[in-house]
Amino acid sequence: MFPHRRWEAAQLQPSPPPRNKINYTFDGWYTDSACTDRFDFATAITNNTTLYAKWLTAIVMIRIDPTGSTFKMGSTGSMAQANEKPVHDVTLTRTYEMSNHEVTQYEWAAVFGEENNPSSFKDKPAAGEVQENRPVESVNWYMAIAYCNKLSLKEGLTPCYTVSGITDWENLAFSSIPTTDDATWNAATCNFDANGYRLPTEAEWEYAARGGIADTDKDVWAGTTTESELDDYAWHKSSDGKTHEVMKLKPNDYELYDMSGNVWEWCWDWANADQYTTDKDGVTNPTGAASGSSRAKRGSSCVSISSPYSMYARVSARLQSPPTEASNKSPTGLRVVRTVTE
């Protein structure tokens, strides 16, 4: 979003062509810098007018190819918690694509409708930011997998998730997604070989967040190993306690934005604090515990849950919540991935 055209007072003016902006879709011309008042080119211009181009996020998938490689998962850094140990070998054999940003409120509305935006941060974006480009949050885990399946169908892809009794994901009403613990949805299965959208596993998430940083004996954030640089990469304690438009800070070396901070991101796995002990001798394509009461989430958020604020923003930090959790006290959204099948 930026001032792009200034028109002199005249009769009617044609709509000017927009500039191209990588990773965004042009939405139109607006008379205010917040891009809330769309300009009508059918009306005569009576005063000199500055127009602002509004750009909305487009899903851009980044190819992640760990095939045949093994990485060290976990941490023994100074901030490492017990559930990040022991550091162990993980081999990923699937090439996958990950969205370069968290799902935005605009992208969510394109699937569920604007009336079904669960976000708590629906207004008052930071100066110069577009509201629709802030990440969707207050999303529970059931909503997240439903979004993935519906988006897959919308794009002609094969859905990854199966929930007993649901045969028409395309027409699934938002109101029918559980907000209380649901045994049927808890028993959802994932076809990791399908080409549709899904949530990453914890291992896929951490591999991508590291962006090639292999260190496990020091604290690592998405993009840096230096805590004083964290503000360049993550909305955390410096975010004024609210979410921010995606892709405003620096990405990690895989060109993934906001892997640290802004909103927590759901993963597929049932969470198990002792999972790394189970996997200590090495594991291939881990998907978490067989069952549980909480699902894993990663990345931290703009609302820090404890001090030091940077602790949970580390790429190895693990948090878990019941699949029904959708509180704005720990803003949680999602980032989609796809298995590369071709």
Side-chain angles (χ1 to χ4, degrees):
M1 178 192 68
F2 48 85
H4 184 45
R5 289 289 188 274
R6 182 174 175 83
W7 293 104
E8 300 300 320
Q11 296 299 310
L12 298 179
Q13 294 286 356
S15 175
R19 294 179 182 175
N20 291 326
K21 188 175 182 181
I22 297 173
N23 298 345
Y24 290 84
T25 300
F26 178 65
D27 182 62
W29 294 100
Y30 290 74
T31 61
D32 60 316
S33 61
C35 290
T36 58
D37 185 17
R38 186 185 292 269
F39 182 74
D40 182 4
F41 282 92
T43 7
I45 297 175
T46 57
N47 296 294
N48 294 345
T49 303
T50 298
L51 299 181
Y52 297 81
K54 183 174 183 178
W55 300 93
L56 298 173
T57 53
I59 296 176
V60 175
M61 303 298 286
I62 303 296
R63 188 182 181 97
I64 311 292
D65 190 0
T67 307
S69 63
T70 297
F71 79 103
K72 299 288 186 182
M73 187 170 179
S75 176
T76 57
S78 63
M79 295 184 187
Q81 303 297 294
N83 67 354
E84 299 171 48
K85 305 171 185 177
V87 172
H88 56 288
D89 289 338
V90 172
T91 302
L92 298 176
T93 64
R94 287 186 295 264
T95 299
Y96 58 101
E97 295 177 335
M98 175 176 275
S99 174
N100 71 344
H101 63 271
E102 295 157 335
V103 173
T104 64
Q105 294 182 32
Y106 165 70
E107 292 160 353
W108 183 270
V111 170
F112 280 118
E114 292 183 10
E115 70 279 8
N116 293 316
N117 178 1
S119 301
S120 298
F121 298 99
K122 289 182 178 178
D123 57 12
K124 299 179 181 178
E129 296 187 9
V130 174
Q131 172 63 37
E132 293 95 327
N133 291 340
R134 296 169 80 179
V136 67
E137 29 76 22
S138 298
V139 172
N140 74 29
W141 188 87
Y142 305 140
M143 296 174 191
I145 66 169
Y147 173 85
C148 290
N149 268 10
K150 290 173 79 71
L151 179 61
S152 297
L153 289 167
K154 183 177 179 182
E155 296 193 6
L157 303 172
T158 302
C160 295
Y161 298 115
T162 299
V163 174
S164 179
I166 300 180
T167 58
D168 187 4
W169 286 95
E170 187 172 9
N171 294 307
L172 178 72
F174 184 76
S175 59
S176 66
I177 301 172
T179 55
T180 57
D181 191 64
D182 189 285
T184 300
W185 282 71
N186 288 342
T189 58
C190 180
N191 177 6
F192 289 96
D193 292 324
N195 66 354
Y197 294 99
R198 58 179 176 83
L199 300 177
T201 64
E202 273 201 276
E204 289 172 331
W205 191 97
E206 184 168 327
Y207 182 89
R210 285 182 172 276
I213 300 176
D215 299 329
T216 58
D217 59 349
K218 62 176 67 172
D219 297 319
V220 177
W221 296 270
T224 183
T225 57
T226 304
E227 186 176 2
S228 61
E229 296 177 353
L230 186 56
D231 286 357
D232 295 334
Y233 296 89
W235 298 112
H236 58 122
K237 65 179 174 61
S238 61
S239 68
D240 299 324
K242 62 182 178 182
T243 61
H244 286 263
E245 179 175 345
V246 299
M247 299 190 290
K248 283 292 189 180
L249 299 179
K250 291 181 180 179
N252 72 1
D253 283 352
Y254 286 172
E255 295 299 314
L256 301 170
Y257 295 82
D258 302 311
M259 293 294 283
S260 291
N262 220 0
V263 297
W264 287 96
E265 300 175 14
W266 284 114
C267 292
W268 160 256
D269 312 42
W270 281 114
N272 178 0
D274 298 322
Q275 189 65 45
Y276 287 10
T277 300
T278 302
D279 297 340
K280 63 184 176 61
D281 294 326
V283 64
T284 298
N285 296 332
T287 57
S291 61
S293 58
S294 294
R295 295 280 182 173
K297 55 187 184 181
R298 292 293 198 106
S300 192
S301 76
C302 59
V303 180
S304 300
I305 59 177
S306 64
S307 179
Y309 300 108
S310 54
M311 182 174 70
Y312 281 102
R314 293 173 303 114
V315 298
S316 58
R318 306 173 69 207
L319 195 69
Q320 62 187 56
S321 293
T324 55
E325 174 63 43
S327 169
N328 64 357
K329 294 180 180 179
S330 178
T332 303
L334 70 155
R335 182 188 303 259
V336 294
V337 303
R338 289 177 55 203
T339 301
V340 175
T341 59
E342 300 174 355

